[in-house]
C-alpha cells in the first residue's frame, strides 16, 4: 500500500525553534522510491548552539508532572498518525508501531507521576539535635543518543526521566528515523515544555554524536546502540569523567527443555525471533533445545514462520512482518545466512523475499558454539538452533557469548526455571515468555558487553542515572 503523504522536513530543535534545512533523505523501506523525510545535517557548531541550561530544574515536581502528563495526552490523541510516520520511516507493522507510540505515551505518563513523589530520604544523625536528609539533584545538561529500531519509545524512556529529574536534554536520534523523534518533541513543546529544555540535533554519529559526548558542559550521556559505537562513546565520556550509560547488543538465548509443549515453545520463539522483523536488542537469536523435543520444535517453528510472519509493507493489513530497515542491513542478514551454510549450518527457511527489502524469517539448524551465527548479533529475523543434552549444558552454551541482555526458558519444571534464572548471565530473564517485550516500570539493562551495567533504564531506577545525591545536615538546637 503506497500513501500520498508529502515528505516531512525535520530540522534541529534548538532553543524552541526548528532550524536548519534538510539534506538527508529517508525513503520508506517498504517502497524505496517513496521519500518520507528530509532532515537537517548538523556538525559540532549545532551541538554548541543546543547545549544551554534554561530554567527548568527549579520548577516544582508537580509543574514538571503537568508538562509530561499533557505531552502523554497529546501523543495518545495523535497515536494513529504518529504510528503511520513510524511505519513509513522504520518499517515495522502498524500494529507494532501503534504499540510503540502508546508505550512512549505511557512512559511520559509514568515519569510525570514520578515527579510527584518525594525524591530523597531522611536519616538519623549521630550528632544530637541534627536532622539529616538527602536531595536528588539534576545533573544539568544531559546528552541522549538513540538507535533507529524503536525511534519513539527509546527516546521517550531516556528523555522523560531526564526531564522529570529537572535536567535539560540534547538528543541525537539515529539518522534513519528522525521523524518519529520529532513527533515526541512536538508533543512536549505543545504541552508547555519551556524553549531550550529539550533540543534535537541531527547528523552523523562521528560529527554530531561525538561533539555531544565530548562537550564539556554535558554532564552525562545515555546511549543505546551498537557495541563498537558504545565503546567509543565510553572512552570519550570517561576521559572527561562524565557519567555514561550504555545499552548495546545482545545474542539472546531461548532454552527449550524436553518437558515443554513444542507448539507453545515455537510460538514463544517465533514472537521473540521474528516479531519486529527481529530488529530488537532483546530478540531471540539462539534457540537452545534438549534432544527429545528438538525436531518437533523446529518443525513447528518453520510452520509458524511461513503461516504467521509473511513479510510485507507494514501499512498493509495483510503484512505480518515489516521490511528490513535498510539495504545495508538486508545485505548483512543474508551474508550471515551464507556464512552459516559455509560453517556447516543448515538453513531450513529464510531468504531474500522476491523484491525490495523483504526477507522471510530464517531458521538455521546445526549451529554450534564456535559458529559465527552463535556469537555475533545479526539484528534481523534469524534464529540459530543449537542442540544440547540437558539444562546444565543449555545454561553453559547460553552463557558462552560476550553478551548478556535477555534470556528465556520454556519449561513446566519449576526447579529448572529457578535454576535457569539463578545461573543465566543476563539482565532480563523470561520464563515461558518471549525474550523480547518489557514492562516500562521494571529495571532494564544487560551485563557483559550488552551494557555498562552501572545504572538501569526504565522504572524508578532510571531517575538514578539522571540525578546525584546531596546530603544535608541541619542543626536544630
Ligand atoms: P548505532 O550504534 O549504529 O547508532 C546508534 C546511535 O549512535 C545513532 O544515533 C548514531 O548516529 C550514533 N552514533 C554513531 N556513531 C557515533 C559516535 N562515534 N559517537 C556518538 N554517536 C554515534 O546503532 P543502530 O544501528 O542505530 O542500532 C542498532 C543497535 O542498537 C544494535 O546493536 C542493537 O542491539 C542496539 N540496541 C540496543 C538496545 C538496548 O537497550 N540494549 C535497544 C535497541 C537497540
Amino acid at each position: 500500500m503506497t500513501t500520498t503523504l508529502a515528505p516531512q522536513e525535520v530540522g534541529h530543535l534548538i532553543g524552541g525553534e526548528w532550524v536548519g534545512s534538510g539534506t538527508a533523505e529517508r525513503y520508506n523501506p517498504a517502497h524505496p522510491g517513496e521519500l518520507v523525510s528530509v532532515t537537517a545535517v548538523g556538525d559540532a557548531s549545532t551541538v554548541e548552539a543546543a547545549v544551554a541550561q534554561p530554567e527548568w530544574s527549579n520548577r516544582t515536581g508537580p509543574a514538571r508532572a503537568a508538562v509530561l502528563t499533557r505531552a502523554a495526552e497529546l501523543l495518545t490523541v495523535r497515536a494513529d498518525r504518529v504510528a503511520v510516520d513510524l511505519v513509513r520511516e522504520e518499517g515495522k507493522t502498524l500494529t507494532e508501531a501503534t504499540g510503540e507510540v502508546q508505550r512512549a505515551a505511557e512512559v511520559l505518563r509514568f515519569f510525570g507521576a514520578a515527579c510527584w513523589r518525594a525524591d530523597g530520604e531522611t536519616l538519623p544523625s549521630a550528632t544530637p539535635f541534627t536532622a539529616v536528609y538527602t536531595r536528588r539533584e539534576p545533573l544539568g545538561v544531559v546528552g541522549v543518543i538513540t538507535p533507529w529500531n524503536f525511534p519513539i519509545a527509546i527516546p521517550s524512556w531516556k528523555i522523560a526521566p531526564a526531564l522529570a529529574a529537572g535536567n535539560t536534554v540534547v538528543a541525537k536520534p539515529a539518522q534513519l528515523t528522525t521523524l518519529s523523534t520529532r513527533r515526541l518533541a512536538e508533543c512536549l513543546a505543545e504541552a508547555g515544555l519551556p524553549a531550550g529544555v529539550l533540543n534535537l540535533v541531527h547528523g552523523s554519529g562521528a560529527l554530531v554524536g561525538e561533539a555531544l559526548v565530548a562537550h564539556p558542559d554535558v554532564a552525562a550521556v545515555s546511549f543505546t546502540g551498537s557495541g563498537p559505537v558504545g565503546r567509543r562513546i565510553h572512552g570519550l565520556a570517561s576521559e572527561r569523567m562524565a557519567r555514561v550509560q550504555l545499552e548495546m547488543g545482545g545474542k539472546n538465548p531461548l532454552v527449550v527443555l524436553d518437558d515443554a509443549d513444542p507448539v507453545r515453545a515455537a510460538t514463544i520463539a517465533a514472537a521473540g525471533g521474528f516479531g519486529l522483523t527481529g530488529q530488537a536488542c532483546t530478540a531471540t537469536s539462539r534457540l537452545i533445545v534438549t534432544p527429545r523435543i528438538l525436531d518437533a520444535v523446529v518443525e513447528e517453528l518453520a510452520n509458524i514462520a511461513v503461516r504467521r510472519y509473511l513479510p510485507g509493507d507494514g501499512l498493509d493489513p495483510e503484512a505480518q512482518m515489516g521490511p528490513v530497515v535498510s539495504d545495508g542491513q538486508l545485505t548483512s542478514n543474508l551474508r550471515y545466512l551464507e556464512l552459516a551454510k559455509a560453517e556447516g549450518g543448515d538453513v531450513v527457511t529464510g531468504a531474500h523475499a522476491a523484491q525490495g527489502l523483504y526477507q522471510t524469517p530464517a531458521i538455521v539448524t546445526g549451529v554450534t558454539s564456535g559458529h559465527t551465527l552463535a556469537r555475533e548479533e545479526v539484528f534481523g529475523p534469524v534464529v540459530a538452533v543449537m542442540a544440547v543434552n540437558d539444562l546444565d549444558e543449555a545454561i553453559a552454551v547460553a552463557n558462552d557469548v560476550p553478551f548478556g541482555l535477555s534470556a528465556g526458558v520454556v519449561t513446566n519444571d519449576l526447579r529448572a526455571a529457578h535454576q535457569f534464572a539463578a545461573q543465566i548471565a543476563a539482565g532480563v530473564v523470561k520464563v515461558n515468555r518471549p525474550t523480547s517485550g518489557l514492562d516500562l516500570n521494571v529495571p532494564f539493562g544487560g551485563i557483559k558487553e550488552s551494557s555498562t551495567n552501572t545504572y538501569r533504564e526504565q522504572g524508578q531506577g532510571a531517575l538514578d542515572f539522571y540525578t546525584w545525591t546531596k546530603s544535608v545536615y541541619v542543626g536544630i538546637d
Side-chain angles (χ1 to χ4, degrees):
M1 184 175 104
T2 48
T3 56
T4 51
L5 294 171
Q8 300 289 297
E9 282 279 333
V10 185
H12 311 291
L13 176 60
I14 297 177
E17 303 289 330
W18 293 97
V19 298
S21 54
T23 56
E25 296 179 335
R26 173 61 178 156
Y27 290 86
N28 184 341
H31 303 284
E34 185 187 311
L35 185 60
V36 176
S37 64
V38 187
T39 301
V41 177
D43 55 23
S45 67
T46 320
V47 173
E48 191 58 48
V51 176
Q53 206 174 350
E55 174 274 320
W56 173 247
S57 60
N58 50 15
R59 293 273 174 107
T60 63
R64 294 203 287 262
V67 173
L68 291 177
T69 308
R70 175 83 186 117
E73 283 161 10
L74 290 170
L75 191 52
T76 303
V77 169
R78 295 171 192 181
D80 290 349
R81 271 184 292 142
V82 176
V84 170
D85 286 337
L86 203 162
V87 172
R88 294 177 69 234
E89 75 170 357
E90 196 267 352
K92 55 177 56 109
T93 65
L94 191 58
T95 306
E96 291 167 340
T98 304
E100 181 178 341
V101 177
Q102 285 165 347
R103 168 57 59 98
E106 285 165 1
V107 167
L108 291 168
R109 211 168 277 124
F110 178 87
F111 285 106
C115 295
W116 283 89
R117 286 200 294 274
D119 60 355
E121 53 183 346
T122 57
L123 297 152
S125 173
T127 309
F129 300 108
T130 304
V132 178
Y133 66 94
T134 63
R135 292 168 53 91
R136 301 292 303 193
E137 303 277 354
L139 302 176
V141 181
V142 299
V144 159
I145 300 178
T146 49
W148 51 262
N149 68 322
F150 288 107
I152 194 162
I154 293 180
S156 80
W157 80 53
K158 292 181 188 294
I159 292 169
L163 295 178
N167 299 281
T168 297
V169 178
V170 180
K172 195 210 98 54
Q175 283 178 288
L176 293 179
T177 52
T178 55
L179 182 56
S180 302
T181 318
R182 174 184 144 176
R183 298 298 184 222
L184 174 68
E186 285 169 348
C187 291
L188 282 159
E190 287 173 47
L193 191 72
V197 175
L198 170 63
N199 304 277
L200 298 187
V201 291
H202 305 291
S204 76
L207 271 184
V208 176
E210 293 203 11
L212 183 57
V213 177
H215 198 291
D217 295 337
V218 173
V221 176
S222 179
F223 164 84
T224 297
S226 62
V229 172
R231 201 174 279 271
R232 169 84 183 142
I233 289 175
H234 195 267
L236 288 172
S238 303
E239 208 167 279
R240 60 181 188 85
M241 295 203 285
R243 191 178 285 194
V244 61
Q245 174 184 54
L246 309 175
E247 291 303 337
M248 299 165 287
K251 191 71 208 173
N252 310 297
L254 180 73
V255 168
V256 179
L257 299 181
D258 279 341
D259 72 280
D261 170 37
V263 176
R264 186 172 191 216
T267 305
I268 291 170
F274 308 141
L276 299 156
T277 321
Q279 297 176 149
C281 56
T282 51
T284 300
S285 57
R286 291 177 297 153
L287 186 61
I288 301 172
V289 193
T290 49
R292 281 211 316 274
I293 198 174
L294 178 66
D295 290 345
V297 170
V298 171
E299 191 184 329
E300 195 53 46
L301 185 61
N303 284 338
I304 293 173
V306 175
R307 278 190 285 116
R308 292 201 220 147
Y309 291 89
L310 181 72
D313 176 358
L315 292 180
D316 180 345
E318 299 287 306
Q320 297 160 328
M321 187 176 82
V324 173
V325 74
S326 66
D327 208 19
Q329 185 68 52
L330 178 64
T331 305
S332 167
N333 296 353
L334 297 176
R335 210 177 274 144
Y336 272 110
L337 293 184
E338 287 308 312
L339 190 59
K341 274 190 232 165
E343 290 182 351
D346 183 14
V347 179
V348 179
T349 64
H352 185 190
Q355 49 172 316
L357 300 183
Y358 296 110
Q359 181 191 341
T360 54
I363 303 166
V364 184
T365 55
V367 177
T368 61
S369 285
H371 290 182
T372 309
L373 201 60
R375 310 196 70 77
E376 294 184 9
E377 182 184 51
V378 175
F379 220 58
V382 178
V383 171
V385 182
M386 306 176 77
V388 291
N389 288 313
D390 55 25
L391 175 61
D392 287 337
E393 189 187 352
I395 293 172
V397 166
N399 285 342
D400 185 23
V401 288
F403 301 103
L405 194 53
S406 182
V409 64
V410 185
T411 183
N412 295 310
D413 179 345
L414 200 56
R415 190 200 59 79
H418 282 295
Q419 181 186 339
F420 182 82
Q423 295 180 352
I424 195 74
V428 175
V429 182
K430 300 281 198 78
V431 178
N432 298 326
R433 293 285 181 273
T435 56
S436 57
L438 302 163
D439 283 336
L440 63 88
N441 59 333
V442 176
F444 169 60
I447 60 170
K448 299 202 266 186
E449 291 180 18
S450 292
S451 173
T452 35
N453 191 16
T454 43
Y455 297 89
R456 285 300 187 225
E457 295 207 276
Q458 310 207 33
Q460 183 66 22
L463 295 166
D464 292 346
F465 177 73
Y466 293 107
T467 52
W468 58 280
T469 302
K470 180 185 278 176
S471 302
V472 183
Y473 292 71
V474 184
I476 49 176
D477 50 349

